[in-house]
Amino acid sequence: MQMDFDSIIEQTIRFVKETLAEAEAGHDWFHIERVYKTALNINAQENGDLFTVALAALLHDIADSKFNNGDEEIGPQMAGKFLSGLNISAEVIVHVQQIIRNLSYKSSLSGVTFHSKELDVVQDADRLDAIGAIGIARAFTYGGYKNRTMYDPSIPSVANQSKEAYKNSSAPTINHFYEKLLLLKDLMKTSAGKTLAQERHDFMLRYLDQFYAEWEGK
């Protein structure tokens, strides 16, 4: 079984690296690798199914809807097609697809009906990569990719957005802190996720204080 596990993980890593070779820098292989490592660390405490957690973490952004005309099924479909070519049970494949389908922040805005320990682990790992120092870097990287303004004091952030409003937003990057990033700490599901999130959340608050001070020329 160990040989099968190692072989499947190696093949999955190779597939993800090839597929995301030209991906936007905040959603590239290095993002996947960080989420994968974090998910394994969290799962060591949560005792979810390691195989499912590993595969879901590696495949969670194989085709992010943001870069595929908003198609939220292309990711689960690509993952399912790839996994079907390996010696993996249908049960595991469906579970991985469900995790991918329900992982994102915008998915939670419309109400998630699927729940599992493995989803909690991978979701916390993915959300941790959206906050803290790396989360800040990713936010501005994506903002630059979309040619968004860094900050505009005349454009207020919007609280309690609907899924459609969130998806269609073109607000300045600083607004994204208040519309998503600063909300993630309280959405963590696992004990390890909550602990890591607090430190990264506090760092973002310090960063914003510094940002506003510099904006005013102080």
Side-chain angles (χ1 to χ4, degrees), residues 24-69:
E24 181 266 340
H27 297 80
D28 58 4
W29 160 250
F30 293 113
H31 162 64
I32 303 299
E33 185 178 39
R34 291 190 301 270
V35 172
Y36 174 62
K37 290 177 179 178
T38 303
L40 295 186
N41 287 336
I42 293 174
N43 194 62
Q45 298 183 39
E46 296 298 317
N47 297 312
D49 180 69
L50 177 61
F51 194 41
T52 301
V53 166
L55 291 175
L58 288 170
L59 293 166
H60 80 276
D61 264 349
I62 196 63
D64 191 310
S65 63
K66 288 192 294 293
F67 308 105
N68 289 277
N69 300 312

Side-chain angles (χ1 to χ4, degrees), residues 147-205:
N147 197 32
R148 292 179 179 172
T149 304
M150 283 198 305
Y151 176 50
D152 185 339
S154 70
I155 303 176
S157 58
V158 179
N160 303 315
Q161 287 181 316
S162 67
K163 180 178 179 180
E164 286 306 309
Y166 176 81
K167 286 174 62 176
N168 296 322
S169 174
S170 58
T173 298
I174 285 293
N175 291 34
H176 190 58
F177 283 73
Y178 301 96
E179 294 168 354
K180 176 185 176 182
L181 306 187
L182 292 173
L183 306 178
L184 294 179
K185 171 180 71 70
D186 293 331
L187 297 177
M188 295 292 163
K189 306 285 181 56
T190 67
S191 295
K194 291 174 182 178
T195 299
L196 291 169
Q198 184 66 60
E199 181 180 352
R200 299 184 190 199
H201 179 87
D202 292 343
F203 181 87
M204 290 193 296
L205 293 178

Side-chain angles (χ1 to χ4, degrees), residues 42 46 102-103 108 112 114-117 119-125 127 184-195 197:
I42 293 174
E46 296 298 317
N102 293 281
L103 187 74
S108 67
V112 174
F114 176 80
H115 302 280
S116 75
K117 180 182 292 187
L119 169 59
D120 292 347
V121 168
V122 181
Q123 188 174 64
D124 276 11
R127 287 176 171 175
L184 294 179
K185 171 180 71 70
D186 293 331
L187 297 177
M188 295 292 163
K189 306 285 181 56
T190 67
S191 295
K194 291 174 182 178
T195 299

